[in-house]
mmCIF file of all heavy atoms in Angstrom:
data_model
loop_
_atom_site.group_PDB
_atom_site.id
_atom_site.type_symbol
_atom_site.label_atom_id
_atom_site.label_comp_id
_atom_site.label_asym_id
_atom_site.label_seq_id
_atom_site.Cartn_x
_atom_site.Cartn_y
_atom_site.Cartn_z
ATOM 1 N N ASP A 78 157.890 55.172 100.097
ATOM 2 C CA ASP A 78 159.195 55.833 100.122
ATOM 3 C C ASP A 78 159.919 55.414 101.377
ATOM 4 O O ASP A 78 159.539 55.829 102.467
ATOM 5 C CB ASP A 78 158.991 57.363 100.219
ATOM 6 C CG ASP A 78 159.102 58.002 98.866
ATOM 7 O OD1 ASP A 78 159.531 57.318 97.923
ATOM 8 O OD2 ASP A 78 158.745 59.188 98.762
ATOM 9 N N GLU A 79 160.926 54.596 101.222
ATOM 10 C CA GLU A 79 161.623 54.175 102.438
ATOM 11 C C GLU A 79 162.546 55.282 102.921
ATOM 12 O O GLU A 79 163.204 55.961 102.134
ATOM 13 C CB GLU A 79 162.409 52.880 102.212
ATOM 14 C CG GLU A 79 162.991 52.385 103.529
ATOM 15 C CD GLU A 79 163.645 51.016 103.460
ATOM 16 O OE1 GLU A 79 163.435 50.284 102.469
ATOM 17 O OE2 GLU A 79 164.368 50.688 104.421
ATOM 18 N N TYR A 80 162.579 55.469 104.246
ATOM 19 C CA TYR A 80 163.440 56.485 104.849
ATOM 20 C C TYR A 80 164.678 55.848 105.485
ATOM 21 O O TYR A 80 164.598 54.756 106.045
ATOM 22 C CB TYR A 80 162.693 57.218 105.972
ATOM 23 C CG TYR A 80 161.584 58.124 105.541
ATOM 24 C CD1 TYR A 80 160.483 58.306 106.371
ATOM 25 C CD2 TYR A 80 161.617 58.816 104.330
ATOM 26 C CE1 TYR A 80 159.440 59.166 106.018
ATOM 27 C CE2 TYR A 80 160.585 59.665 103.971
ATOM 28 C CZ TYR A 80 159.493 59.832 104.813
ATOM 29 O OH TYR A 80 158.472 60.681 104.462
ATOM 30 N N ASP A 81 165.746 56.571 105.443
ATOM 31 C CA ASP A 81 166.923 56.269 106.280
ATOM 32 C C ASP A 81 167.475 54.854 106.132
ATOM 33 O O ASP A 81 168.043 54.308 107.072
ATOM 34 C CB ASP A 81 166.599 56.529 107.766
ATOM 35 C CG ASP A 81 166.071 57.940 107.991
ATOM 36 O OD1 ASP A 81 166.690 58.876 107.454
ATOM 37 O OD2 ASP A 81 165.055 58.101 108.679
ATOM 38 N N GLU A 82 167.309 54.275 104.951
ATOM 39 C CA GLU A 82 167.847 52.918 104.780
ATOM 40 C C GLU A 82 169.369 52.932 104.757
ATOM 41 O O GLU A 82 170.008 51.890 104.861
ATOM 42 C CB GLU A 82 167.293 52.280 103.505
ATOM 43 C CG GLU A 82 167.437 53.156 102.284
ATOM 44 C CD GLU A 82 166.632 52.638 101.093
ATOM 45 O OE1 GLU A 82 166.629 51.406 100.905
ATOM 46 O OE2 GLU A 82 166.042 53.450 100.377
ATOM 47 N N GLU A 83 169.953 54.140 104.608
ATOM 48 C CA GLU A 83 171.412 54.210 104.554
ATOM 49 C C GLU A 83 172.070 54.150 105.933
ATOM 50 O O GLU A 83 173.276 54.109 106.050
ATOM 51 C CB GLU A 83 171.856 55.472 103.796
ATOM 52 C CG GLU A 83 171.652 56.792 104.531
ATOM 53 C CD GLU A 83 170.226 57.335 104.440
ATOM 54 O OE1 GLU A 83 169.333 56.609 103.968
ATOM 55 O OE2 GLU A 83 170.020 58.487 104.870
ATOM 56 N N LEU A 84 171.241 54.144 106.995
ATOM 57 C CA LEU A 84 171.825 54.074 108.344
ATOM 58 C C LEU A 84 172.304 52.651 108.636
ATOM 59 O O LEU A 84 171.545 51.697 108.478
ATOM 60 C CB LEU A 84 170.807 54.500 109.396
ATOM 61 C CG LEU A 84 170.276 55.931 109.293
ATOM 62 C CD1 LEU A 84 169.409 56.257 110.496
ATOM 63 C CD2 LEU A 84 171.405 56.931 109.158
ATOM 64 N N LEU A 85 173.545 52.555 109.053
ATOM 65 C CA LEU A 85 174.126 51.236 109.287
ATOM 66 C C LEU A 85 174.575 51.080 110.726
ATOM 67 O O LEU A 85 175.117 52.003 111.333
ATOM 68 C CB LEU A 85 175.340 51.031 108.374
ATOM 69 C CG LEU A 85 175.064 51.030 106.869
ATOM 70 C CD1 LEU A 85 176.367 50.896 106.111
ATOM 71 C CD2 LEU A 85 174.113 49.895 106.500
ATOM 72 N N ASP A 109 168.790 45.330 106.718
ATOM 73 C CA ASP A 109 169.972 45.894 107.355
ATOM 74 C C ASP A 109 169.764 46.088 108.847
ATOM 75 O O ASP A 109 170.696 46.128 109.627
ATOM 76 C CB ASP A 109 170.317 47.258 106.739
ATOM 77 C CG ASP A 109 171.031 47.103 105.417
ATOM 78 O OD1 ASP A 109 171.767 46.105 105.271
ATOM 79 O OD2 ASP A 109 170.835 47.955 104.534
ATOM 80 N N ILE A 112 164.057 47.405 111.680
ATOM 81 C CA ILE A 112 162.858 48.181 111.361
ATOM 82 C C ILE A 112 162.975 48.774 109.962
ATOM 83 O O ILE A 112 164.074 49.120 109.509
ATOM 84 C CB ILE A 112 162.623 49.296 112.412
ATOM 85 C CG1 ILE A 112 161.244 49.954 112.230
ATOM 86 C CG2 ILE A 112 163.725 50.356 112.365
ATOM 87 C CD1 ILE A 112 160.819 50.862 113.377
ATOM 88 N N THR A 114 161.226 51.952 107.921
ATOM 89 C CA THR A 114 160.357 53.111 108.085
ATOM 90 C C THR A 114 160.198 53.816 106.748
ATOM 91 O O THR A 114 161.061 53.699 105.869
ATOM 92 C CB THR A 114 160.946 54.132 109.089
ATOM 93 O OG1 THR A 114 162.250 54.520 108.632
ATOM 94 C CG2 THR A 114 161.056 53.554 110.484
ATOM 95 N N GLY A 115 159.116 54.542 106.603
ATOM 96 C CA GLY A 115 158.937 55.286 105.367
ATOM 97 C C GLY A 115 157.546 55.871 105.265
ATOM 98 O O GLY A 115 156.770 55.845 106.217
ATOM 99 N N VAL A 141 170.492 52.338 115.631
ATOM 100 C CA VAL A 141 169.873 52.573 114.317
ATOM 101 C C VAL A 141 168.345 52.494 114.408
ATOM 102 O O VAL A 141 167.637 53.357 113.877
ATOM 103 C CB VAL A 141 170.425 51.602 113.253
ATOM 104 C CG1 VAL A 141 169.585 51.650 111.983
ATOM 105 C CG2 VAL A 141 171.876 51.943 112.941
ATOM 106 N N GLU A 144 167.234 55.623 116.059
ATOM 107 C CA GLU A 144 167.385 56.786 115.187
ATOM 108 C C GLU A 144 166.296 56.812 114.107
ATOM 109 O O GLU A 144 165.719 57.856 113.811
ATOM 110 C CB GLU A 144 168.784 56.764 114.539
ATOM 111 C CG GLU A 144 169.106 57.952 113.651
ATOM 112 C CD GLU A 144 169.278 59.266 114.408
ATOM 113 O OE1 GLU A 144 169.512 59.234 115.642
ATOM 114 O OE2 GLU A 144 169.170 60.330 113.760
ATOM 115 N N LYS A 145 166.011 55.646 113.537
ATOM 116 C CA LYS A 145 164.985 55.601 112.486
ATOM 117 C C LYS A 145 163.601 55.953 113.045
ATOM 118 O O LYS A 145 162.831 56.677 112.410
ATOM 119 C CB LYS A 145 164.961 54.214 111.819
ATOM 120 C CG LYS A 145 166.142 53.983 110.875
ATOM 121 C CD LYS A 145 166.164 52.556 110.363
ATOM 122 C CE LYS A 145 165.788 52.479 108.900
ATOM 123 N NZ LYS A 145 165.964 51.100 108.366
ATOM 124 N N VAL A 146 163.311 55.445 114.223
ATOM 125 C CA VAL A 146 162.019 55.755 114.852
ATOM 126 C C VAL A 146 161.946 57.253 115.163
ATOM 127 O O VAL A 146 160.940 57.920 114.885
ATOM 128 C CB VAL A 146 161.827 54.911 116.140
ATOM 129 C CG1 VAL A 146 160.628 55.397 116.945
ATOM 130 C CG2 VAL A 146 161.680 53.434 115.791
ATOM 131 N N THR A 147 163.039 57.783 115.726
ATOM 132 C CA THR A 147 163.076 59.201 116.085
ATOM 133 C C THR A 147 162.889 60.082 114.850
ATOM 134 O O THR A 147 162.110 61.036 114.849
ATOM 135 C CB THR A 147 164.415 59.528 116.776
ATOM 136 O OG1 THR A 147 164.539 58.692 117.922
ATOM 137 C CG2 THR A 147 164.481 60.979 117.210
ATOM 138 N N ARG A 148 163.615 59.739 113.793
ATOM 139 C CA ARG A 148 163.492 60.540 112.561
ATOM 140 C C ARG A 148 162.079 60.460 111.978
ATOM 141 O O ARG A 148 161.576 61.432 111.416
ATOM 142 C CB ARG A 148 164.508 60.064 111.521
ATOM 143 C CG ARG A 148 165.926 60.431 111.881
ATOM 144 C CD ARG A 148 166.844 60.147 110.722
ATOM 145 N NE ARG A 148 168.234 60.396 111.082
ATOM 146 C CZ ARG A 148 169.233 60.377 110.205
ATOM 147 N NH1 ARG A 148 169.007 60.106 108.928
ATOM 148 N NH2 ARG A 148 170.465 60.623 110.596
ATOM 149 N N LEU A 149 161.463 59.290 112.127
ATOM 150 C CA LEU A 149 160.095 59.152 111.622
ATOM 151 C C LEU A 149 159.153 60.090 112.384
ATOM 152 O O LEU A 149 158.343 60.796 111.775
ATOM 153 C CB LEU A 149 159.629 57.695 111.760
ATOM 154 C CG LEU A 149 158.370 57.343 110.967
ATOM 155 C CD1 LEU A 149 158.669 57.293 109.475
ATOM 156 C CD2 LEU A 149 157.775 56.017 111.426
ATOM 157 N N ARG A 152 159.891 63.689 111.316
ATOM 158 C CA ARG A 152 159.322 63.983 109.995
ATOM 159 C C ARG A 152 157.809 64.177 110.100
ATOM 160 O O ARG A 152 157.241 65.089 109.502
ATOM 161 C CB ARG A 152 159.602 62.830 109.029
ATOM 162 C CG ARG A 152 160.993 62.821 108.470
ATOM 163 C CD ARG A 152 160.988 61.897 107.258
ATOM 164 N NE ARG A 152 162.293 61.851 106.628
ATOM 165 C CZ ARG A 152 163.246 61.010 106.996
ATOM 166 N NH1 ARG A 152 163.057 60.164 107.980
ATOM 167 N NH2 ARG A 152 164.403 61.019 106.371
ATOM 168 N N ALA B 317 176.684 54.301 111.375
ATOM 169 C CA ALA B 317 177.388 54.759 110.183
ATOM 170 C C ALA B 317 176.354 55.066 109.108
ATOM 171 O O ALA B 317 175.194 54.661 109.222
ATOM 172 C CB ALA B 317 178.342 53.673 109.709
ATOM 173 N N ARG B 319 175.684 54.637 105.093
ATOM 174 C CA ARG B 319 176.164 53.947 103.892
ATOM 175 C C ARG B 319 176.479 54.948 102.792
ATOM 176 O O ARG B 319 175.709 55.889 102.561
ATOM 177 C CB ARG B 319 175.098 52.979 103.381
ATOM 178 C CG ARG B 319 175.549 52.177 102.167
ATOM 179 C CD ARG B 319 174.404 51.419 101.537
ATOM 180 N NE ARG B 319 174.017 50.256 102.304
ATOM 181 C CZ ARG B 319 172.804 50.046 102.809
ATOM 182 N NH1 ARG B 319 171.856 50.936 102.643
ATOM 183 N NH2 ARG B 319 172.534 48.947 103.480
ATOM 184 N N VAL B 329 168.144 58.129 95.756
ATOM 185 C CA VAL B 329 168.181 58.195 97.215
ATOM 186 C C VAL B 329 167.796 59.583 97.693
ATOM 187 O O VAL B 329 167.004 59.746 98.610
ATOM 188 C CB VAL B 329 169.576 57.804 97.743
ATOM 189 C CG1 VAL B 329 169.652 58.085 99.239
ATOM 190 C CG2 VAL B 329 169.828 56.337 97.484
ATOM 191 N N GLY B 332 164.174 60.127 97.565
ATOM 192 C CA GLY B 332 163.452 59.393 98.597
ATOM 193 C C GLY B 332 163.553 60.046 99.962
ATOM 194 O O GLY B 332 162.839 59.706 100.877
ATOM 195 N N ASN B 333 164.472 60.967 100.094
ATOM 196 C CA ASN B 333 164.701 61.568 101.401
ATOM 197 C C ASN B 333 164.662 63.085 101.323
ATOM 198 O O ASN B 333 165.373 63.768 102.042
ATOM 199 C CB ASN B 333 166.062 61.130 101.949
ATOM 200 C CG ASN B 333 166.052 59.652 102.290
ATOM 201 O OD1 ASN B 333 165.590 59.268 103.340
ATOM 202 N ND2 ASN B 333 166.528 58.848 101.365
ATOM 203 N N MET B 336 164.677 65.311 104.416
ATOM 204 C CA MET B 336 165.584 65.039 105.533
ATOM 205 C C MET B 336 166.872 65.812 105.355
ATOM 206 O O MET B 336 167.682 65.516 104.493
ATOM 207 C CB MET B 336 165.896 63.538 105.557
ATOM 208 C CG MET B 336 166.483 63.100 106.862
ATOM 209 S SD MET B 336 165.310 63.242 108.215
ATOM 210 C CE MET B 336 166.432 63.651 109.534
ATOM 211 N N SER B 337 167.053 66.811 106.162
ATOM 212 C CA SER B 337 168.309 67.538 106.097
ATOM 213 C C SER B 337 169.367 66.729 106.846
ATOM 214 O O SER B 337 169.065 65.837 107.604
ATOM 215 C CB SER B 337 168.129 68.905 106.733
ATOM 216 O OG SER B 337 167.491 68.774 107.972
#
Side-chain angles (χ1 to χ4, degrees):
Chain A
D78 262 349
E79 186 173 345
Y80 290 149
D81 306 313
E82 51 192 319
E83 72 279 10
L84 299 187
L85 297 177
D109 281 328
I112 190 169
T114 57
V141 168
E144 183 69 19
K145 285 174 109 173
V146 169
T147 302
R148 289 190 184 188
L149 194 72
R152 281 196 179 87
Chain B
R319 183 190 285 121
V329 171
N333 292 278
M336 196 67 213
S337 48

